[in-house]
Amino acid sequence: MLKNKSLREFGYNFLGPIIATYVTEVNKQLRQLASQDNIKVFHLAREGYVFEQAFDIVNSEHVASSYLNVSRTFLFRITCDIEDSWEYSVKHSYKGTLSEFLKARFAFTQENVEEFLDSGDLEKVISLPEDFEYVCRILKANQESIRRVTSPTRDVYLSYLNSVGLTDSTSTPVLLDVGYSGTIQKLLTLLLKKDTSGIYMITTKSGQIVVDDHVASINHVFKTDVKMGGGYMMLDRSMFLESLLTAPNGQFVDIIQNINNESFHFCFGKQTYTQENFTDLATVQDGALSCVEDCIKHNIHYSVEEIEKLFETFVTHRNLLPRATWPLFVLDDAISGEGNLNPLSFFGL
């Protein structure tokens, strides 16, 4: 009982005000968009699991809203044969063999990798982004082989996106996520050949981004024009947020369509401690959602400065993080080849 009380109170006091401020501002921005009847909100990736529930609390305008199974890794893979995607999938830092890179960054199997690469390339050690041009040459040389593997999955995923209304030419999709550079949004814009809009907590650059003749409109709530390591605490220590804003499943990595009833089966990657013990995290999230409800009920609002101070105070003082929450601060970073990360250890708390 004491453990659950501690977890719930932490969720209410730390996560609650952050989420409440974000979804309230999102709701305000949506009201300012034109032709609201044609707006549909999609909550992205694992963070969307909580955002969907929080948005439903504040969504007084009854804007259509749904959770979207998506991940950077999955989009990297199904667009791997499209040259315009490489600036998003290949430039992110990585050190290791080319074989391991293709498996970690794109979730290709060993069998796929051996089909794409000559034996001499398999153990080639790369360092990104320095070796960006080299990796792009390898992808270009194996483009047709990659396309044979990726196009069937891409077709199934496009069917899924159509089923949830994301491909509807008469509607404007609005994507919600923590941030930061809008990679998922840009890849969806490329994949769908359609303008998209995104509203994030924090962005490295807000504005109109041209993606293959279409526009990804990127907006923020807390801060923009910030970069990792630049001193903005909510970005530099965003691992604390990402650890708590996650779904019961691991990273979305694949999709299969049932040919009998056209339903979709989703496949997920490895689980961390958090997913294996999701009851504890659910208690934290319940506390946060209770705070969102109270903020709406009693018309409580926080300024951006108050949220920034709240966040900085908690993530720089281990004694403010209840002992029961410590195991929950873990997230996988396979995309960079780093395995699991623990922000408590990473930041020396």
Side-chain angles (χ1 to χ4, degrees), residues 252-271:
F252 169 63
V253 294
D254 211 348
I255 185 172
I256 301 169
Q257 187 167 17
N258 187 322
I259 60 174
N260 294 319
N261 58 18
E262 297 187 351
S263 62
F264 299 95
H265 175 71
F266 305 103
C267 306
F268 303 94
K270 68 175 183 178
Q271 294 188 330

Side-chain angles (χ1 to χ4, degrees), residues 280-299:
D280 288 349
L281 184 57
T283 304
V284 173
Q285 294 176 352
D286 286 346
L289 293 171
S290 179
C291 176
V292 176
E293 291 173 344
D294 286 348
C295 286
I296 299 304
K297 180 179 179 180
H298 301 293
N299 198 29

Side-chain angles (χ1 to χ4, degrees), residues 12-77:
Y12 190 100
N13 294 321
F14 173 65
L15 205 54
I18 297 172
I19 296 177
T21 303
Y22 172 61
V23 294
T24 300
E25 177 60 26
V26 165
N27 201 41
K28 186 187 301 182
Q29 290 190 28
L30 290 177
R31 287 201 297 269
Q32 295 171 356
L33 293 177
S35 59
Q36 184 171 309
D37 290 342
N38 293 325
I39 290 173
K40 185 165 185 179
V41 170
F42 294 92
H43 306 277
L44 303 185
R46 282 172 284 183
E47 293 89 341
Y49 176 79
V50 182
F51 287 161
E52 180 183 25
Q53 298 173 72
F55 181 74
D56 286 346
I57 295 171
V58 306
N59 183 17
S60 59
E61 305 298 325
H62 305 295
V63 175
S65 163
S66 66
Y67 178 77
L68 187 69
N69 281 292
V70 68
S71 71
R72 285 185 299 168
T73 296
F74 177 77
L75 291 180
F76 287 161
R77 187 170 80 255

Side-chain angles (χ1 to χ4, degrees), residues 29 116 160 194 262:
Q29 290 190 28
F116 302 154
Y160 162 66
K194 174 179 181 174
E262 297 187 351

Side-chain angles (χ1 to χ4, degrees), residues 70-181:
V70 68
S71 71
R72 285 185 299 168
T73 296
F74 177 77
L75 291 180
F76 287 161
R77 187 170 80 255
I78 66 170
T79 60
C80 188
D81 61 306
I82 302 173
E83 290 185 48
D84 287 338
S85 74
W86 299 342
E87 64 176 292
Y88 308 116
S89 61
V90 179
K91 281 190 174 178
H92 188 75
S93 62
Y94 185 94
K95 288 186 178 180
T97 67
L98 187 56
S99 173
E100 291 301 320
F101 168 72
L102 290 172
K103 289 187 285 185
R105 182 67 53 88
F106 301 91
F108 283 126
T109 66
Q110 180 65 30
E111 182 181 9
N112 294 151
V113 171
E114 290 176 355
E115 179 181 348
F116 302 154
L117 301 179
D118 295 330
S119 57
D121 293 322
L122 287 170
E123 299 307 313
K124 168 74 174 178
V125 176
I126 60 170
S127 178
L128 293 170
E130 293 83 0
D131 291 327
F132 173 74
E133 296 295 339
Y134 168 76
V135 174
C136 287
R137 287 198 301 272
I138 293 291
L139 295 179
K140 180 68 175 177
N142 294 278
Q143 202 167 12
E144 287 307 314
S145 297
I146 294 172
R147 183 169 294 133
R148 284 195 295 271
V149 172
T150 58
S151 61
T153 304
R154 183 164 65 234
D155 291 342
V156 171
Y157 192 64
L158 285 169
S159 295
Y160 162 66
L161 296 182
N162 183 62
S163 74
V164 297
L166 193 53
T167 60
D168 184 356
S169 61
T170 64
S171 68
T172 301
V174 179
L175 313 175
L176 305 189
D177 199 359
V178 173
Y180 304 93
S181 59

